[in-house]
Amino acid sequence: MNLIWQAYLRNHGAIIQNGCVVGFGDNAAELESARSATVLSDLSHFGLIHFSGEDAQSFLQGQLSCDVKQVNASAALYGGYCNPKGRLLASFLIWSKGIGNGGGYVMQLPAVVRPGIQKRLAMYVLRAKVKLADASDDLVCLGVAGDDAEALVRKNLGEVPASRLGVIHSEFVSIIRLAQNRFELAIVPEKAPAIWEGLSRDAVPVGAPCWDWLEIKAGIPIITPATQEQFVPQMANLEAIGGVSFQKGCYPGQEIVARSQYLGKIKRRMYLANIRPGISDSQVEAGDELFGDMGEQSIGMVVNASPSPDGGFHVLAVIQTSSVEAAAVRWKSLAGPSLEIAPLPYSLS
């Protein structure tokens, strides 16, 4: 997290741990605001990699699951980075860098995995004219969500993108429309305080767990160290949110990803669910295994988890589809709490 920005947030009531805004003093009230009001969240728990140089597009096109040629000044994409076996090492949001210096692309992914992914990608640059740089301190990223999010962003920054994953750049901010009522702002640091002050007059400042809950409700998978190399992209519904292209050329794991798509039904899919652990149980976490109609054999894994304003935890979990159909999915053991499956905001083929 940019240290000047960190000091600013602390002066405005933020509780920061390990570079992440965990809240503003009342986690339960913040979660309720995320459900029922318009909220403002710092997104410094995500890191940024900047790709620049004349070969940046072709390099990324040969490494990522999404069609980077579709990323331009007015469009962002979700995507994945796989190992040679087609298992996800990272999921991300990528957009064209329209502010500051260098042009190229910005990849946003969890800060905890950013160094390893950047190092791995750099190994494959070879003679390509492309440079990778940690841009996590170069931009301040904010999330705005809620029924009044569009009106609020428009009031403070002017025009907003009309469509999902549309992008508008100005001299000092890139506005990305994540959904009908969710936006991300990537801001040059010197302008961030004024924008925060303007937005926070009408939006409730909340911590990262609230934004994580909104991502879960939106069905957006975030690959963390606990789940790296566990899923092919379709298991995590990445193709359903536009993160996989089956028409582009090769990338690591592409043959396995394509085979999974065309040679049979995906046996595991990602579901939205609620888990209500007992009082004595630990909290639900990414990487927790799930059990059910296959006895002691795991039938799935939690991808992401966050406390829910409804109680318990909302999760995204990759689960054997037959087990979901049998209504037999439990957390951590056959005797654990059952998962209450909820509808996703998008359809699966």
Side-chain angles (χ1 to χ4, degrees), residues 40 42 77 118 129 209 221-222 246 324 338-339:
L40 172 64
D42 173 72
L77 275 182
Q118 182 175 331
K129 295 179 180 178
I222 307 295
F246 298 105
V324 174
S338 60
L339 273 69

Side-chain angles (χ1 to χ4, degrees), residues 118-291:
Q118 182 175 331
K119 182 178 180 180
R120 186 183 178 101
L121 283 167
M123 291 169 55
Y124 296 97
V125 169
L126 302 178
R127 297 183 180 180
K129 295 179 180 178
V130 56
K131 294 182 179 179
L132 286 69
D134 177 11
S136 304
D137 289 344
D138 297 344
L139 294 170
V140 169
C141 293
L142 305 179
V144 185
D147 290 342
D148 296 330
E150 178 174 345
L152 183 55
V153 174
R154 192 183 298 276
K155 173 183 174 182
N156 285 270
L157 296 171
E159 187 180 3
V160 300
S163 58
R164 174 183 173 272
L165 295 184
V167 184
I168 289 178
H169 301 287
S170 72
E171 181 180 355
F172 54 85
V173 61
S174 298
I175 304 172
I176 305 165
R177 186 174 203 137
L178 302 176
Q180 180 178 355
N181 63 349
R182 285 206 308 144
F183 294 83
E184 177 164 346
L185 315 176
I187 311 163
V188 296
E190 57 269 25
K191 296 291 186 179
I195 292 176
W196 178 276
E197 289 174 17
L199 294 169
S200 63
R201 293 190 187 104
D202 300 293
V204 179
V206 298
C210 294
W211 190 259
D212 292 343
W213 178 74
L214 290 166
E215 291 273 74
I216 287 170
K217 292 287 284 183
I220 307 299
I222 307 295
I223 300 300
T224 62
T227 56
Q228 286 181 310
E229 301 187 283
Q230 295 296 320
F231 319 118
V232 297
Q234 296 97 314
M235 289 182 188
N237 301 354
L238 209 58
E239 92 290 0
I241 59 173
V244 182
S245 170
F246 298 105
Q247 286 74 48
K248 62 174 280 185
C250 293
Y251 56 88
Q254 181 265 337
E255 290 185 4
I256 294 170
V257 174
R259 193 180 307 135
S260 299
Q261 186 72 14
Y262 296 120
L263 297 183
K265 184 179 179 181
I266 305 297
K267 295 182 179 180
R268 292 193 176 206
R269 277 293 200 173
M270 190 176 74
Y271 295 86
L272 172 64
N274 184 265
I275 303 174
R276 297 176 184 269
I279 295 174
S280 62
D281 291 324
S282 60
Q283 66 177 12
V284 182
E285 296 179 335
D288 287 351
E289 290 192 308
L290 306 172
F291 297 86

